[in-house]
Amino acid sequence: MADTESKAPSNFIQTIIEEDLKTGKNDGRVATRFPPEPNGYLHIGHAKSICLNFGLAQTYNGTCNLRFDDTNPTKEEVEYVDAIKEDVHWLGFEWHDGAHYASDYFDRLYDLAVRLIKDGKAYVDSLSADEIRQYRGTLTEPGKDSPYRNRSVEENLDLFQRMRNGEFEDGRHVLRAKIDMAHPNMLMRDPTLYRIRKAAHHRTGDRWCIYPMYDFTHCLSDAIECITHSICTLEFENNRALYDWVLDQLAMPCRPRQYEFARLNLTYTVLSKRKLIQLVQEGRVSGWDDPRMPTISGIRRRGYTPESIRTFCERIGVAKANSIVDMALLEHTIREDLNRRAPRMMAVLRPLKVTIENYPEGQAEMLTAVNNPEDAAMGTRQVPFSRTLYIEREDFLEDPPKKYFRLAPGREVRLRYAYFITCTQVIKDPHSGEVIELRCTYDPATRGGDAPDGRKVKATLHWVSAEHAVPGQVNLYDRLFVKPDPDEREEGKTFIDFLNPDSLDVLDDCRLEPELAEAKPGAIYQFERLGYFCADSKLSSRDHLVFNRTVTLRDAWAKIAGNK
RNA sequence: UGGGGGAUCGUCUAGCGGUAGGACUACGGACUCUGACUCCGUCUGCCGAGGUUCGAAUCCUCGUCCCCCAGCCA
């Protein structure tokens, strides 16, 4: 309590809430809601809204409802409601009072619509969709009244009842609010309140053949649930007038207020359900939970933690100006989190054979490796070393450029937690000329990785013992799009044209430190010097290990090398 | 051209008449058995023009640019 009072509001919505609290509005109650339509999977943009709404409830000791905005049976499915629940839970939030559904309010909504008709505030229109569009006017020209606008209350009541009874085909009639066909706000030109849709609803089945529209449903659902602050995104600013109009006509016990904030945009990805569903349907990704997808399920499978997502949502802030957040911030928050908690392991993704010529054949020994230098409590483990090893192909260069510290002919480097080795000979495939093996010598005095004579090496390489290593597949993921803003208009092109052809690189000949054989699906690791990885929650098993790269480590060398 | 919103470092964001601050990025350095982490340092910003004021990102005026709205989607 003292905590929330002493902290300065961190965004304009908190400022509003604190003002409301100060003036005693809503009896000091704060009630928010997260209202997804179950017509797709949640993405990182929704995470912003979830963190905001649930976070506000936590901060001000209020409540936050989960409410499915399920008023369009032709687009909604239970698969989506289940996925949404799972995602909200995974993010770390518990909704108040069980899941709510707008469809739970269909009866009440219907009664309220009848009341509007009785009050002469709504009428059944029998114009076709096309005609309604024509009658609406344009941005600069007023619309004109429908010829059905002045039907009697009795006739409207009768027609609406018969709409409900299923006497008419889809599109034959609609219920409209009677507001003002010349209103400068297009949404106020007699908006549609109900339409006929002879479709089964995922919860109400075929009990209904008329369904309420968003603008009628949302505000009343908020009022029914006694929401105090109804927070939505900027594109609903125009809808606020209608939100208020509906609530003003129907005296509800609670009077919620709508506030709008800018939705999240992220570089190198797209965050619109329409586009994400297209990626899935066209098979550009393996599914909603493809680790390249910005969906919560994709991000989760990629190895992101809920904590890192919440931190991200805090850092991006909440404001009213549209913006595009740099993907680098998201990557920073996951690195920050994983650095603290991910056990370190050694994994060689593109193996290059190394023979330690002066190490006895058939011998092996265990060396002690630190599990996490950031957390001593995570302890140590034993890693086997032997005469034949694998190192990363990119850690050897026959003709190294200036600042390249790694292995090269005649050069000495350290094998992490093991020994100093020196490259004495390079063996190439006689046909291709490709380097296929390195012959090296090791210095037995450097066991553990320190030279008693104090000599230094510039590089430390990760490695695995050939006979002890376990095979595995590693999926290297990169940004889904090549352009920071795939939606940016370019002649004749769509966002599909900017998909990154290299967003997935499957490496199936990787050699992993033995301990990784025990990796449980979803387990997170840092593969030293490479990045953070997680065992794929769907595909990884003891028999076939599959790891997903969550994010690379920051890489100073890549920058140096890349700049030339 | 109607109505509704919005403009602060490269990016996101604070500021509420009194020295423009933070985070990310970038760059430089220190440290290092991960070219990681950590630490230190540097660069860059109030959309423009007027006005009010001792003093303006903040108040006023006039512009400019950007976003949203013409679904029986949400």
Side-chain angles (χ1 to χ4, degrees), chain A residues 71 197 237 316 344 403 405-406 414 448-449 526 529:
Chain A
T71 57
R197 272 267 195 298
E237 278 174 325
I316 57 177
R344 314 284 124 129
K403 294 176 170 169
F405 302 152
R406 284 110 100 143
R414 171 170 37 236
Q526 181 194 106
R529 304 209 306 131

mmCIF file of all heavy atoms in Angstrom, chain A residues 71 197 237 316 344 403 405-406 414 448-449 526 529, chain B residues 3 5 12 26 33-35 37 70 72-74:
data_model
loop_
_atom_site.group_PDB
_atom_site.id
_atom_site.type_symbol
_atom_site.label_atom_id
_atom_site.label_comp_id
_atom_site.label_asym_id
_atom_site.label_seq_id
_atom_site.Cartn_x
_atom_site.Cartn_y
_atom_site.Cartn_z
ATOM 1 N N THR A 71 -18.347 -12.855 -30.006
ATOM 2 C CA THR A 71 -19.636 -12.488 -30.599
ATOM 3 C C THR A 71 -19.701 -12.786 -32.091
ATOM 4 O O THR A 71 -20.649 -12.403 -32.751
ATOM 5 C CB THR A 71 -19.898 -10.978 -30.388
ATOM 6 O OG1 THR A 71 -18.821 -10.238 -30.966
ATOM 7 C CG2 THR A 71 -20.015 -10.662 -28.915
ATOM 8 N N ARG A 197 -26.838 -14.382 -38.029
ATOM 9 C CA ARG A 197 -25.739 -15.290 -38.407
ATOM 10 C C ARG A 197 -26.160 -16.697 -38.029
ATOM 11 O O ARG A 197 -26.062 -17.086 -36.866
ATOM 12 C CB ARG A 197 -24.476 -14.973 -37.590
ATOM 13 C CG ARG A 197 -23.578 -13.945 -38.152
ATOM 14 C CD ARG A 197 -22.488 -14.559 -39.015
ATOM 15 N NE ARG A 197 -21.444 -13.576 -39.256
ATOM 16 C CZ ARG A 197 -21.620 -12.440 -39.890
ATOM 17 N NH1 ARG A 197 -22.819 -12.153 -40.362
ATOM 18 N NH2 ARG A 197 -20.634 -11.601 -40.057
ATOM 19 N N GLU A 237 -10.239 4.470 -30.459
ATOM 20 C CA GLU A 237 -10.542 5.817 -29.958
ATOM 21 C C GLU A 237 -11.887 6.322 -30.475
ATOM 22 O O GLU A 237 -12.671 6.909 -29.740
ATOM 23 C CB GLU A 237 -9.429 6.788 -30.373
ATOM 24 C CG GLU A 237 -8.229 6.727 -29.441
ATOM 25 C CD GLU A 237 -7.070 7.578 -29.934
ATOM 26 O OE1 GLU A 237 -6.879 7.670 -31.158
ATOM 27 O OE2 GLU A 237 -6.353 8.134 -29.096
ATOM 28 N N ILE A 316 9.163 -1.251 -22.096
ATOM 29 C CA ILE A 316 8.694 -0.532 -23.275
ATOM 30 C C ILE A 316 7.744 0.599 -22.914
ATOM 31 O O ILE A 316 7.560 1.526 -23.683
ATOM 32 C CB ILE A 316 7.987 -1.466 -24.289
ATOM 33 C CG1 ILE A 316 6.824 -2.195 -23.622
ATOM 34 C CG2 ILE A 316 8.986 -2.443 -24.885
ATOM 35 C CD1 ILE A 316 6.037 -3.072 -24.594
ATOM 36 N N ARG A 344 25.298 -23.662 -17.857
ATOM 37 C CA ARG A 344 26.187 -23.627 -19.016
ATOM 38 C C ARG A 344 26.486 -25.050 -19.446
ATOM 39 O O ARG A 344 26.590 -25.961 -18.600
ATOM 40 C CB ARG A 344 27.506 -22.933 -18.674
ATOM 41 C CG ARG A 344 27.406 -21.616 -17.896
ATOM 42 C CD ARG A 344 26.987 -20.428 -18.735
ATOM 43 N NE ARG A 344 25.800 -19.857 -18.115
ATOM 44 C CZ ARG A 344 25.650 -18.565 -17.800
ATOM 45 N NH1 ARG A 344 26.603 -17.687 -18.020
ATOM 46 N NH2 ARG A 344 24.518 -18.150 -17.289
ATOM 47 N N LYS A 403 42.704 -9.620 -35.913
ATOM 48 C CA LYS A 403 42.237 -9.786 -34.541
ATOM 49 C C LYS A 403 41.612 -11.149 -34.218
ATOM 50 O O LYS A 403 40.864 -11.272 -33.250
ATOM 51 C CB LYS A 403 41.240 -8.689 -34.227
ATOM 52 C CG LYS A 403 41.872 -7.316 -34.226
ATOM 53 C CD LYS A 403 40.804 -6.286 -34.001
ATOM 54 C CE LYS A 403 41.396 -4.907 -33.754
ATOM 55 N NZ LYS A 403 40.325 -3.892 -33.800
ATOM 56 N N PHE A 405 41.591 -14.455 -32.560
ATOM 57 C CA PHE A 405 42.354 -15.014 -31.430
ATOM 58 C C PHE A 405 42.343 -16.532 -31.394
ATOM 59 O O PHE A 405 43.085 -17.136 -30.651
ATOM 60 C CB PHE A 405 41.751 -14.552 -30.099
ATOM 61 C CG PHE A 405 41.687 -13.067 -29.937
ATOM 62 C CD1 PHE A 405 40.710 -12.502 -29.130
ATOM 63 C CD2 PHE A 405 42.611 -12.238 -30.575
ATOM 64 C CE1 PHE A 405 40.645 -11.132 -28.959
ATOM 65 C CE2 PHE A 405 42.548 -10.864 -30.403
ATOM 66 C CZ PHE A 405 41.562 -10.310 -29.597
ATOM 67 N N ARG A 406 41.421 -17.118 -32.140
ATOM 68 C CA ARG A 406 41.201 -18.553 -31.978
ATOM 69 C C ARG A 406 42.299 -19.405 -32.604
ATOM 70 O O ARG A 406 43.359 -18.893 -32.963
ATOM 71 C CB ARG A 406 39.830 -18.914 -32.568
ATOM 72 C CG ARG A 406 38.680 -18.500 -31.677
ATOM 73 C CD ARG A 406 37.837 -17.348 -32.200
ATOM 74 N NE ARG A 406 36.620 -17.806 -32.811
ATOM 75 C CZ ARG A 406 35.444 -17.202 -32.750
ATOM 76 N NH1 ARG A 406 35.300 -16.058 -32.074
ATOM 77 N NH2 ARG A 406 34.425 -17.704 -33.349
ATOM 78 N N ARG A 414 43.235 -22.258 -25.228
ATOM 79 C CA ARG A 414 42.777 -23.074 -24.116
ATOM 80 C C ARG A 414 41.480 -23.784 -24.493
ATOM 81 O O ARG A 414 40.611 -23.197 -25.150
ATOM 82 C CB ARG A 414 42.528 -22.207 -22.888
ATOM 83 C CG ARG A 414 41.823 -22.974 -21.752
ATOM 84 C CD ARG A 414 41.789 -22.186 -20.463
ATOM 85 N NE ARG A 414 41.584 -20.787 -20.724
ATOM 86 C CZ ARG A 414 42.408 -19.825 -20.300
ATOM 87 N NH1 ARG A 414 43.456 -20.099 -19.570
ATOM 88 N NH2 ARG A 414 42.151 -18.575 -20.603
ATOM 89 N N GLY A 448 42.943 -28.309 -16.218
ATOM 90 C CA GLY A 448 41.984 -27.425 -15.568
ATOM 91 C C GLY A 448 41.905 -26.069 -16.270
ATOM 92 O O GLY A 448 40.930 -25.357 -16.139
ATOM 93 N N GLY A 449 42.976 -25.753 -17.022
ATOM 94 C CA GLY A 449 42.902 -24.525 -17.818
ATOM 95 C C GLY A 449 43.830 -23.411 -17.410
ATOM 96 O O GLY A 449 43.753 -22.315 -17.949
ATOM 97 N N GLN A 526 22.715 -22.471 -21.504
ATOM 98 C CA GLN A 526 23.574 -21.647 -22.338
ATOM 99 C C GLN A 526 24.602 -22.598 -22.919
ATOM 100 O O GLN A 526 25.281 -23.314 -22.175
ATOM 101 C CB GLN A 526 24.309 -20.566 -21.537
ATOM 102 C CG GLN A 526 25.185 -19.707 -22.463
ATOM 103 C CD GLN A 526 26.195 -18.844 -21.736
ATOM 104 O OE1 GLN A 526 27.382 -19.134 -21.734
ATOM 105 N NE2 GLN A 526 25.704 -17.783 -21.101
ATOM 106 N N ARG A 529 29.684 -19.791 -25.342
ATOM 107 C CA ARG A 529 30.185 -19.027 -26.484
ATOM 108 C C ARG A 529 29.222 -18.991 -27.670
ATOM 109 O O ARG A 529 29.506 -18.353 -28.683
ATOM 110 C CB ARG A 529 31.549 -19.556 -26.953
ATOM 111 C CG ARG A 529 32.592 -19.554 -25.817
ATOM 112 C CD ARG A 529 33.987 -19.382 -26.355
ATOM 113 N NE ARG A 529 34.239 -20.381 -27.365
ATOM 114 C CZ ARG A 529 34.754 -20.141 -28.569
ATOM 115 N NH1 ARG A 529 35.113 -18.924 -28.902
ATOM 116 N NH2 ARG A 529 34.934 -21.099 -29.414
ATOM 117 P P G B 3 -14.091 18.777 -38.560
ATOM 118 O OP1 G B 3 -14.673 19.859 -37.735
ATOM 119 O OP2 G B 3 -12.728 18.915 -39.121
ATOM 120 O "O5'" G B 3 -14.157 17.419 -37.738
ATOM 121 C "C5'" G B 3 -15.357 17.050 -37.078
ATOM 122 C "C4'" G B 3 -15.243 15.656 -36.541
ATOM 123 O "O4'" G B 3 -14.996 14.740 -37.638
ATOM 124 C "C3'" G B 3 -14.076 15.403 -35.609
ATOM 125 O "O3'" G B 3 -14.312 15.871 -34.299
ATOM 126 C "C2'" G B 3 -13.967 13.877 -35.677
ATOM 127 O "O2'" G B 3 -15.001 13.261 -34.946
ATOM 128 C "C1'" G B 3 -14.208 13.646 -37.177
ATOM 129 N N9 G B 3 -12.929 13.625 -37.891
ATOM 130 C C8 G B 3 -12.369 14.615 -38.662
ATOM 131 N N7 G B 3 -11.197 14.280 -39.131
ATOM 132 C C5 G B 3 -10.965 12.990 -38.640
ATOM 133 C C6 G B 3 -9.876 12.104 -38.815
ATOM 134 O O6 G B 3 -8.828 12.291 -39.455
ATOM 135 N N1 G B 3 -10.068 10.913 -38.130
ATOM 136 C C2 G B 3 -11.179 10.605 -37.389
ATOM 137 N N2 G B 3 -11.181 9.400 -36.806
ATOM 138 N N3 G B 3 -12.212 11.413 -37.225
ATOM 139 C C4 G B 3 -12.046 12.578 -37.872
ATOM 140 P P G B 5 -10.103 13.439 -29.314
ATOM 141 O OP1 G B 5 -10.477 13.219 -27.911
ATOM 142 O OP2 G B 5 -9.766 14.805 -29.812
ATOM 143 O "O5'" G B 5 -8.918 12.438 -29.661
ATOM 144 C "C5'" G B 5 -7.596 12.829 -29.430
ATOM 145 C "C4'" G B 5 -6.726 11.674 -29.822
ATOM 146 O "O4'" G B 5 -6.956 11.340 -31.218
ATOM 147 C "C3'" G B 5 -5.253 12.004 -29.753
ATOM 148 O "O3'" G B 5 -4.777 11.832 -28.428
ATOM 149 C "C2'" G B 5 -4.658 11.015 -30.752
ATOM 150 O "O2'" G B 5 -4.576 9.727 -30.207
ATOM 151 C "C1'" G B 5 -5.724 11.035 -31.851
ATOM 152 N N9 G B 5 -5.452 12.064 -32.851
ATOM 153 C C8 G B 5 -6.165 13.217 -33.079
ATOM 154 N N7 G B 5 -5.674 13.942 -34.043
ATOM 155 C C5 G B 5 -4.568 13.227 -34.476
ATOM 156 C C6 G B 5 -3.633 13.527 -35.507
ATOM 157 O O6 G B 5 -3.599 14.503 -36.256
ATOM 158 N N1 G B 5 -2.649 12.541 -35.607
ATOM 159 C C2 G B 5 -2.594 11.410 -34.826
ATOM 160 N N2 G B 5 -1.592 10.573 -35.073
ATOM 161 N N3 G B 5 -3.469 11.119 -33.867
ATOM 162 C C4 G B 5 -4.416 12.069 -33.756
ATOM 163 P P C B 12 10.285 4.763 -31.539
ATOM 164 O OP1 C B 12 9.035 4.404 -32.227
ATOM 165 O OP2 C B 12 10.749 6.167 -31.540
ATOM 166 O "O5'" C B 12 10.220 4.286 -30.022
ATOM 167 C "C5'" C B 12 9.450 3.146 -29.673
ATOM 168 C "C4'" C B 12 9.662 2.793 -28.225
ATOM 169 O "O4'" C B 12 11.088 2.733 -27.931
ATOM 170 C "C3'" C B 12 9.161 3.796 -27.202
ATOM 171 O "O3'" C B 12 7.761 3.732 -27.021
ATOM 172 C "C2'" C B 12 9.928 3.345 -25.965
ATOM 173 O "O2'" C B 12 9.400 2.144 -25.461
ATOM 174 C "C1'" C B 12 11.305 3.075 -26.560
ATOM 175 N N1 C B 12 12.148 4.283 -26.470
ATOM 176 C C2 C B 12 12.736 4.580 -25.229
ATOM 177 O O2 C B 12 12.551 3.814 -24.273
ATOM 178 N N3 C B 12 13.491 5.696 -25.103
ATOM 179 C C4 C B 12 13.662 6.501 -26.150
ATOM 180 N N4 C B 12 14.400 7.604 -25.989
ATOM 181 C C5 C B 12 13.067 6.224 -27.423
ATOM 182 C C6 C B 12 12.316 5.108 -27.535
ATOM 183 P P A B 26 24.870 -2.877 -30.498
ATOM 184 O OP1 A B 26 25.166 -3.959 -31.454
ATOM 185 O OP2 A B 26 25.241 -3.027 -29.078
ATOM 186 O "O5'" A B 26 25.501 -1.516 -31.027
ATOM 187 C "C5'" A B 26 25.242 -1.074 -32.357
ATOM 188 C "C4'" A B 26 25.860 0.281 -32.571
ATOM 189 O "O4'" A B 26 25.179 1.261 -31.745
ATOM 190 C "C3'" A B 26 27.314 0.388 -32.137
ATOM 191 O "O3'" A B 26 28.190 -0.092 -33.130
ATOM 192 C "C2'" A B 26 27.462 1.898 -31.908
ATOM 193 O "O2'" A B 26 27.595 2.592 -33.130
ATOM 194 C "C1'" A B 26 26.105 2.231 -31.289
ATOM 195 N N9 A B 26 26.151 2.186 -29.820
ATOM 196 C C8 A B 26 25.749 1.169 -28.991
ATOM 197 N N7 A B 26 25.912 1.435 -27.712
ATOM 198 C C5 A B 26 26.465 2.706 -27.702
ATOM 199 C C6 A B 26 26.865 3.549 -26.654
ATOM 200 N N6 A B 26 26.778 3.229 -25.362
ATOM 201 N N1 A B 26 27.379 4.766 -26.992
ATOM 202 C C2 A B 26 27.478 5.097 -28.286
ATOM 203 N N3 A B 26 27.129 4.378 -29.360
ATOM 204 C C4 A B 26 26.614 3.188 -28.995
ATOM 205 P P C B 33 41.253 -15.279 -16.713
ATOM 206 O OP1 C B 33 41.719 -15.549 -15.354
ATOM 207 O OP2 C B 33 42.053 -14.461 -17.654
ATOM 208 O "O5'" C B 33 40.909 -16.682 -17.403
ATOM 209 C "C5'" C B 33 40.951 -16.778 -18.816
ATOM 210 C "C4'" C B 33 39.865 -17.735 -19.272
ATOM 211 O "O4'" C B 33 40.292 -19.105 -19.077
ATOM 212 C "C3'" C B 33 38.542 -17.572 -18.536
ATOM 213 O "O3'" C B 33 37.506 -17.778 -19.475
ATOM 214 C "C2'" C B 33 38.523 -18.757 -17.591
ATOM 215 O "O2'" C B 33 37.235 -19.221 -17.256
ATOM 216 C "C1'" C B 33 39.237 -19.808 -18.447
ATOM 217 N N1 C B 33 39.769 -20.938 -17.701
ATOM 218 C C2 C B 33 39.235 -22.196 -18.005
ATOM 219 O O2 C B 33 38.394 -22.277 -18.887
ATOM 220 N N3 C B 33 39.676 -23.273 -17.336
ATOM 221 C C4 C B 33 40.600 -23.119 -16.381
ATOM 222 N N4 C B 33 41.001 -24.212 -15.751
ATOM 223 C C5 C B 33 41.151 -21.843 -16.046
ATOM 224 C C6 C B 33 40.711 -20.782 -16.731
ATOM 225 P P U B 34 36.521 -16.541 -19.787
ATOM 226 O OP1 U B 34 37.207 -15.601 -20.671
ATOM 227 O OP2 U B 34 35.873 -16.082 -18.545
ATOM 228 O "O5'" U B 34 35.442 -17.320 -20.650
ATOM 229 C "C5'" U B 34 35.854 -18.259 -21.625
ATOM 230 C "C4'" U B 34 34.884 -18.223 -22.777
ATOM 231 O "O4'" U B 34 33.612 -18.744 -22.312
ATOM 232 C "C3'" U B 34 34.609 -16.812 -23.293
ATOM 233 O "O3'" U B 34 34.345 -16.881 -24.678
ATOM 234 C "C2'" U B 34 33.347 -16.422 -22.565
ATOM 235 O "O2'" U B 34 32.579 -15.487 -23.262
ATOM 236 C "C1'" U B 34 32.607 -17.768 -22.500
ATOM 237 N N1 U B 34 31.667 -17.851 -21.393
ATOM 238 C C2 U B 34 30.348 -18.180 -21.699
ATOM 239 O O2 U B 34 29.972 -18.401 -22.823
ATOM 240 N N3 U B 34 29.518 -18.223 -20.626
ATOM 241 C C4 U B 34 29.840 -17.987 -19.309
ATOM 242 O O4 U B 34 28.979 -18.065 -18.449
ATOM 243 C C5 U B 34 31.216 -17.646 -19.078
ATOM 244 C C6 U B 34 32.060 -17.589 -20.106
ATOM 245 P P G B 35 35.303 -16.148 -25.688
ATOM 246 O OP1 G B 35 34.960 -16.770 -26.975
ATOM 247 O OP2 G B 35 36.707 -16.140 -25.215
ATOM 248 O "O5'" G B 35 34.795 -14.653 -25.737
ATOM 249 C "C5'" G B 35 35.300 -13.651 -24.864
ATOM 250 C "C4'" G B 35 35.171 -12.306 -25.535
ATOM 251 O "O4'" G B 35 36.093 -12.285 -26.657
ATOM 252 C "C3'" G B 35 33.792 -12.046 -26.102
ATOM 253 O "O3'" G B 35 33.563 -10.645 -26.104
ATOM 254 C "C2'" G B 35 33.918 -12.524 -27.547
ATOM 255 O "O2'" G B 35 33.042 -11.882 -28.434
ATOM 256 C "C1'" G B 35 35.374 -12.123 -27.864
ATOM 257 N N9 G B 35 36.005 -12.938 -28.884
ATOM 258 C C8 G B 35 35.796 -14.245 -29.193
ATOM 259 N N7 G B 35 36.539 -14.675 -30.176
ATOM 260 C C5 G B 35 37.281 -13.554 -30.536
ATOM 261 C C6 G B 35 38.244 -13.385 -31.537
ATOM 262 O O6 G B 35 38.667 -14.219 -32.330
ATOM 263 N N1 G B 35 38.743 -12.093 -31.571
ATOM 264 C C2 G B 35 38.359 -11.089 -30.722
ATOM 265 N N2 G B 35 38.938 -9.910 -30.906
ATOM 266 N N3 G B 35 37.447 -11.226 -29.773
ATOM 267 C C4 G B 35 36.962 -12.474 -29.745
ATOM 268 P P C B 37 27.551 -9.490 -22.784
ATOM 269 O OP1 C B 37 26.201 -9.059 -23.158
ATOM 270 O OP2 C B 37 28.698 -8.586 -23.007
ATOM 271 O "O5'" C B 37 27.562 -9.911 -21.245
ATOM 272 C "C5'" C B 37 26.493 -10.680 -20.712
ATOM 273 C "C4'" C B 37 26.772 -10.994 -19.256
ATOM 274 O "O4'" C B 37 28.014 -11.740 -19.148
ATOM 275 C "C3'" C B 37 27.006 -9.771 -18.381
ATOM 276 O "O3'" C B 37 25.791 -9.196 -17.951
ATOM 277 C "C2'" C B 37 27.799 -10.365 -17.229
ATOM 278 O "O2'" C B 37 26.958 -11.045 -16.322
ATOM 279 C "C1'" C B 37 28.683 -11.381 -17.948
ATOM 280 N N1 C B 37 30.005 -10.822 -18.294
ATOM 281 C C2 C B 37 30.947 -10.679 -17.261
ATOM 282 O O2 C B 37 30.638 -11.031 -16.115
ATOM 283 N N3 C B 37 32.162 -10.155 -17.536
ATOM 284 C C4 C B 37 32.454 -9.786 -18.784
ATOM 285 N N4 C B 37 33.669 -9.275 -19.019
ATOM 286 C C5 C B 37 31.513 -9.916 -19.860
ATOM 287 C C6 C B 37 30.305 -10.437 -19.576
ATOM 288 P P A B 70 -13.838 1.824 -41.456
ATOM 289 O OP1 A B 70 -14.441 0.521 -41.173
ATOM 290 O OP2 A B 70 -12.539 1.922 -42.162
ATOM 291 O "O5'" A B 70 -14.888 2.726 -42.248
ATOM 292 C "C5'" A B 70 -16.228 2.812 -41.791
ATOM 293 C "C4'" A B 70 -17.107 3.309 -42.902
ATOM 294 O "O4'" A B 70 -16.707 4.650 -43.265
ATOM 295 C "C3'" A B 70 -16.997 2.525 -44.208
ATOM 296 O "O3'" A B 70 -17.858 1.399 -44.175
ATOM 297 C "C2'" A B 70 -17.436 3.550 -45.239
ATOM 298 O "O2'" A B 70 -18.847 3.662 -45.287
ATOM 299 C "C1'" A B 70 -16.850 4.835 -44.659
ATOM 300 N N9 A B 70 -15.533 5.150 -45.206
ATOM 301 C C8 A B 70 -14.306 4.826 -44.686
ATOM 302 N N7 A B 70 -13.290 5.252 -45.405
ATOM 303 C C5 A B 70 -13.888 5.908 -46.460
ATOM 304 C C6 A B 70 -13.360 6.579 -47.568
ATOM 305 N N6 A B 70 -12.060 6.717 -47.808
ATOM 306 N N1 A B 70 -14.234 7.117 -48.452
ATOM 307 C C2 A B 70 -15.545 6.984 -48.228
ATOM 308 N N3 A B 70 -16.174 6.377 -47.210
ATOM 309 C C4 A B 70 -15.273 5.850 -46.355
ATOM 310 P P C B 72 -21.463 -2.832 -41.589
ATOM 311 O OP1 C B 72 -21.869 -2.584 -42.970
ATOM 312 O OP2 C B 72 -21.474 -1.738 -40.588
ATOM 313 O "O5'" C B 72 -22.313 -4.046 -41.010
ATOM 314 C "C5'" C B 72 -22.140 -4.457 -39.669
ATOM 315 C "C4'" C B 72 -22.457 -5.924 -39.532
ATOM 316 O "O4'" C B 72 -23.813 -6.147 -40.019
ATOM 317 C "C3'" C B 72 -21.554 -6.833 -40.368
ATOM 318 O "O3'" C B 72 -21.391 -8.051 -39.656
ATOM 319 C "C2'" C B 72 -22.381 -7.095 -41.622
ATOM 320 O "O2'" C B 72 -22.099 -8.339 -42.221
ATOM 321 C "C1'" C B 72 -23.790 -7.133 -41.019
ATOM 322 N N1 C B 72 -24.859 -6.831 -41.985
ATOM 323 C C2 C B 72 -25.689 -7.885 -42.370
ATOM 324 O O2 C B 72 -25.492 -8.999 -41.891
ATOM 325 N N3 C B 72 -26.685 -7.637 -43.248
ATOM 326 C C4 C B 72 -26.853 -6.412 -43.731
ATOM 327 N N4 C B 72 -27.853 -6.237 -44.594
ATOM 328 C C5 C B 72 -26.007 -5.344 -43.362
ATOM 329 C C6 C B 72 -25.028 -5.587 -42.493
ATOM 330 P P C B 73 -20.031 -8.846 -39.692
ATOM 331 O OP1 C B 73 -19.776 -9.337 -41.056
ATOM 332 O OP2 C B 73 -20.132 -9.805 -38.575
ATOM 333 O "O5'" C B 73 -18.919 -7.761 -39.320
ATOM 334 C "C5'" C B 73 -18.524 -7.547 -37.998
ATOM 335 C "C4'" C B 73 -17.247 -8.306 -37.723
ATOM 336 O "O4'" C B 73 -16.207 -7.794 -38.577
ATOM 337 C "C3'" C B 73 -16.693 -8.130 -36.332
ATOM 338 O "O3'" C B 73 -17.337 -9.024 -35.451
ATOM 339 C "C2'" C B 73 -15.228 -8.482 -36.543
ATOM 340 O "O2'" C B 73 -15.051 -9.875 -36.618
ATOM 341 C "C1'" C B 73 -14.969 -7.886 -37.926
ATOM 342 N N1 C B 73 -14.380 -6.531 -37.866
ATOM 343 C C2 C B 73 -12.997 -6.422 -37.627
ATOM 344 O O2 C B 73 -12.342 -7.454 -37.450
ATOM 345 N N3 C B 73 -12.433 -5.190 -37.593
ATOM 346 C C4 C B 73 -13.192 -4.105 -37.769
ATOM 347 N N4 C B 73 -12.591 -2.929 -37.736
ATOM 348 C C5 C B 73 -14.588 -4.197 -38.008
ATOM 349 C C6 C B 73 -15.138 -5.420 -38.044
ATOM 350 P P A B 74 -17.834 -8.465 -34.023
ATOM 351 O OP1 A B 74 -18.614 -9.567 -33.424
ATOM 352 O OP2 A B 74 -18.428 -7.127 -34.178
ATOM 353 O "O5'" A B 74 -16.465 -8.303 -33.215
ATOM 354 C "C5'" A B 74 -15.618 -9.420 -32.981
ATOM 355 C "C4'" A B 74 -14.274 -8.902 -32.545
ATOM 356 O "O4'" A B 74 -13.705 -8.121 -33.621
ATOM 357 C "C3'" A B 74 -14.306 -7.942 -31.362
ATOM 358 O "O3'" A B 74 -14.316 -8.635 -30.130
ATOM 359 C "C2'" A B 74 -13.044 -7.119 -31.582
ATOM 360 O "O2'" A B 74 -11.905 -7.815 -31.130
ATOM 361 C "C1'" A B 74 -12.994 -7.005 -33.098
ATOM 362 N N9 A B 74 -13.634 -5.769 -33.588
ATOM 363 C C8 A B 74 -14.958 -5.532 -33.816
ATOM 364 N N7 A B 74 -15.212 -4.319 -34.242
ATOM 365 C C5 A B 74 -13.960 -3.712 -34.299
ATOM 366 C C6 A B 74 -13.552 -2.419 -34.672
ATOM 367 N N6 A B 74 -14.385 -1.462 -35.078
ATOM 368 N N1 A B 74 -12.231 -2.127 -34.614
ATOM 369 C C2 A B 74 -11.402 -3.080 -34.189
ATOM 370 N N3 A B 74 -11.670 -4.333 -33.818
ATOM 371 C C4 A B 74 -12.979 -4.589 -33.892
#
